[in-house]
Amino acid sequence: MNIIGGYASQLLAGRVSDVLRFNLLVCEFRRFPDGELYTRILDDPGTESVTIIQSTVNDSDFVLLLQLIDACCDVAKVNVVIPYMGYARQDKQFKGGEPISARAIARCIKADNVYTINIHDPSILEYFDAKAVNLDATPVIGEYIKNMELKNPLIIAPDDGAIGLARNASKDLGLDYDFLEKTRLSGELVTIKPKNVAVNGRDVIIIDDIISTAGTMAETISLLRSQGAHEVYVACVHPVLSSNAVLKLFKAGVKGIIATDTIDRGASVVSVAPVIAEAISKTGF
Ligand code: R5P
């Protein structure tokens, strides 16, 4: 079985090939003078089966993924792993005249199997022609947290939409989890606090699927610190960390950032390679 790592996922592809002891194919990535992408698989992908791993953090990553899929047109079975799928947050029409961008992207991916990781909304999977499976990276994040030296740790979801992430990250590890609940006291007054557990004196890890601008996390960090949390960490599956997100997190008082390598960033301390490797092994080659 051959693994192809796209430009955006070279490290992760290398780690998956290492776990599975599969052949990692080397590709060439460069640009033509006019800026267009030139992509070439330098090693022979053969004709049997190949797994392409490429996150689509930006538009070029997406074009490059399409190029790699096309370059494998003579391979009988093509698996595509999109560890982080860009445009997934545009999963519905919010205003008239808008596209469902996640659908537009999914429809272009021609493959036998598609794997995503903690995709923003699993309903997007239906837009792929291929059999699409969403993998969960939160257990490996939980394992990492479990091994940290923390004071009475508590995993918190910043809203009820992320509570599944907090639950799965703490599952079977003996860690507590909760989510922040907004209560309206009057027309102007709202309180936001953990639904069931007090954070006072505890180390808290806020978990979300994506940290992009870090607006959500920065606000939550400040809130939990004002409520007496000891140290506050943030954890996410997808460290988009656009623009000055990291600075905003530290300005808000974060102790550390825990993220996976679905996007290769300095904060990517947890690898999803075992999660991908297990899924590929189950599907068969
Ligand atoms: C929203 O639905 C997501 O779960 C994240 O909360 C959001 O993408 C975080 O964005 P930002 O870092 O820009 O606040």
Side-chain angles (χ1 to χ4, degrees):
M1 168 70 140
N2 293 316
I3 304 260
I4 295 177
Y7 183 79
S9 299
Q10 298 178 57
L11 187 60
L12 180 54
R15 288 173 174 156
V16 173
S17 72
D18 187 50
V19 174
L20 290 171
R21 301 267 161 238
F22 284 173
N23 194 26
L24 182 65
L25 307 184
V26 173
C27 301
E28 179 183 353
F29 311 113
R30 60 180 170 85
R31 285 189 186 268
F32 286 107
D34 61 1
E36 289 181 354
L37 291 168
Y38 175 87
T39 306
R40 183 178 171 217
I41 307 165
L42 296 175
D43 294 323
D44 180 10
T47 53
E48 286 176 22
S49 70
V50 76
T51 295
I52 301 168
I53 305 178
Q54 165 79 338
S55 282
T56 54
V57 187
N58 56 47
D59 301 353
S60 296
D61 294 337
F62 175 61
V63 173
L64 196 143
L65 175 59
L66 297 183
Q67 290 178 320
L68 287 174
I69 294 171
D70 195 73
C72 292
C73 63
D74 292 330
V75 183
K77 184 173 175 186
V78 177
N79 297 323
V80 170
V81 183
I82 313 174
Y84 170 72
M85 180 178 152
Y87 290 95
R89 282 179 289 176
Q90 291 178 38
D91 58 348
K92 48 179 83 68
Q93 226 186 13
F94 296 95
K95 290 183 193 158
E98 287 179 354
I100 298 178
S101 301
R103 179 177 62 192
I105 297 284
R107 282 178 173 170
C108 297
I109 308 292
K110 303 295 173 207
D112 293 284
N113 295 289
V114 171
Y115 302 91
T116 58
I117 300 182
N118 294 98
I119 195 161
H120 187 64
D121 191 320
S123 65
I124 296 166
L125 301 183
E126 288 164 24
Y127 297 136
F128 289 96
D129 290 336
K131 183 173 171 242
V133 175
N134 188 39
L135 309 174
D136 185 13
T138 51
V140 284
I141 295 177
E143 280 291 342
Y144 184 90
I145 293 170
K146 176 90 177 160
N147 291 324
M148 290 168 70
E149 284 187 15
L150 297 171
K151 190 176 167 194
N152 198 9
L154 171 68
I155 300 182
I156 283 214
D159 50 47
D160 51 0
I163 191 158
L165 301 173
R167 189 192 305 116
N168 290 353
S170 57
K171 208 168 156 188
D172 304 328
L173 294 172
L175 298 170
D176 289 346
Y177 74 94
D178 201 355
F179 70 99
L180 291 182
E181 189 180 54
K182 200 183 268 188
T183 312
R184 186 159 293 283
L185 301 176
S186 68
E188 285 103 47
L189 211 56
V190 287
T191 58
I192 303 172
K193 59 180 180 129
K195 170 120 177 94
N196 304 306
V197 190
V199 295
N200 200 24
R202 300 184 74 166
D203 284 346
V204 179
I205 303 98
I206 315 163
I207 191 164
D208 208 347
D209 58 344
I210 301 169
I211 305 178
S212 180
T213 65
T216 309
M217 284 297 195
E219 206 183 313
T220 313
I221 295 162
S222 307
L223 185 86
L224 293 173
R225 282 174 62 83
S226 71
Q227 292 179 1
H230 179 240
E231 303 287 12
V232 181
Y233 296 80
V234 293
C236 68
V237 179
H238 308 298
V240 175
L241 298 175
S242 43
S243 183
N244 59 354
V246 172
L247 294 177
K248 278 156 75 177
L249 291 171
F250 279 91
K251 182 83 177 168
V254 80
K255 182 72 178 170
I257 308 170
I258 302 154
T260 82
D261 54 0
T262 62
I263 304 174
D264 186 9
R265 300 275 191 250
S268 304
V269 292
V270 180
S271 183
V272 295
V275 180
I276 296 172
E278 192 191 346
I280 296 173
S281 306
K282 272 191 197 154
T283 313
F285 321 115

